[in-house]
Amino acid sequence: MKIIFLDVDGVLNNESTTECCRFYTGVDPACLSRLKNLVDVSGAKIVLTSTWKTNWHKNDKSKQDEFADYLDCKFAEVGLTIFDKTQDELDGEPIERGESVIEYLLNTQYERFVIIDDCEFDFAECNLGTYFVRTDEKVGLTERNTMRAAMILGLKDPERV
């Protein structure tokens, strides 16, 4: 299994995104389309690392809040689904985003993975820098970002993204 560890703000939206989900900036269609292309060519599963994951539930959608429902709906509109999410705690203690990725990988059979985020968090400290694609929060996910992510996921022809 290939995994895309995905942030939302600054990746799937940008400073010109007009759509909103209550008081948060919503998802930009162009950024979401680029993610869709990446998933289509790579076959990767999406695992949320974003704070948008807080009330997203894999198996019980009745527990979700409007933000999680909004993400599921936007993804479904383009034929995408969220596979899972990382955890914010380990043994009751808060962990950083890089640590949460490592913890997820330790408990998952995977082939390759990429992290797409607009912030560096602790990725370098966790030796995840070579798997990290940083987006510019002003523009969100670009074609260049998706090509780099495709290469990290092992695609031989990232130009197809």
Side-chain angles (χ1 to χ4, degrees):
M1 174 172 67
K2 294 179 182 176
I3 303 170
I4 299 170
F5 289 101
L6 183 69
D7 182 33
V8 174
D9 291 319
V11 176
L12 294 183
N13 57 33
N14 54 56
E15 65 182 13
S16 63
T17 302
T18 57
E19 188 165 329
C20 293
C21 179
R22 204 159 41 140
F23 47 84
Y24 287 109
T25 303
V27 172
D28 183 86
C31 295
L32 187 60
S33 177
R34 289 183 192 102
L35 177 64
K36 167 77 169 143
N37 291 341
L38 177 60
V39 169
D40 285 350
V41 300
S42 68
K45 305 283 188 196
I46 298 169
V47 175
L48 289 178
T49 58
S50 172
T51 55
W52 282 69
K53 72 182 179 186
T54 302
N55 290 305
W56 182 88
H57 296 276
K58 183 174 185 170
N59 298 318
D60 189 353
K61 298 301 181 182
S62 69
K63 292 182 178 180
Q64 292 193 166
D65 63 11
E66 68 184 290
F67 304 109
D69 287 341
Y70 170 84
L71 273 186
D72 279 343
C73 180
K74 287 310 214 179
F75 277 49
E77 285 176 8
V78 296
L80 289 174
T81 58
I82 299 166
F83 178 73
D84 207 352
K85 67 180 181 178
T86 58
Q87 299 302 311
D88 293 325
E89 294 182 346
L90 180 61
D91 299 326
E93 295 293 321
I95 56 175
E96 294 290 326
R97 217 169 265 197
E99 292 176 288
S100 72
V101 167
I102 290 171
E103 190 60 30
Y104 191 92
L105 293 171
L106 287 172
N107 296 294
T108 305
Q109 297 244 352
Y110 67 94
E111 178 186 343
R112 292 177 180 262
F113 69 93
V114 65
I115 303 163
I116 306 175
D117 205 309
D118 67 320
C119 296
E120 291 186 22
F121 291 99
D122 60 334
F123 300 131
E125 293 87 0
C126 292
N127 295 318
L128 296 171
T130 57
Y131 307 99
F132 174 52
V133 175
R134 184 172 187 175
T135 62
D136 180 341
E137 66 186 21
K138 294 178 181 175
V139 295
L141 188 65
T142 64
E143 287 183 25
R144 183 180 179 134
N145 296 143
T146 56
M147 285 178 26
R148 182 154 185 274
M151 290 184 343
I152 293 169
L153 290 171
L155 271 69
K156 304 285 187 240
D157 186 13
E159 298 290 327
R160 291 183 12 205
V161 179

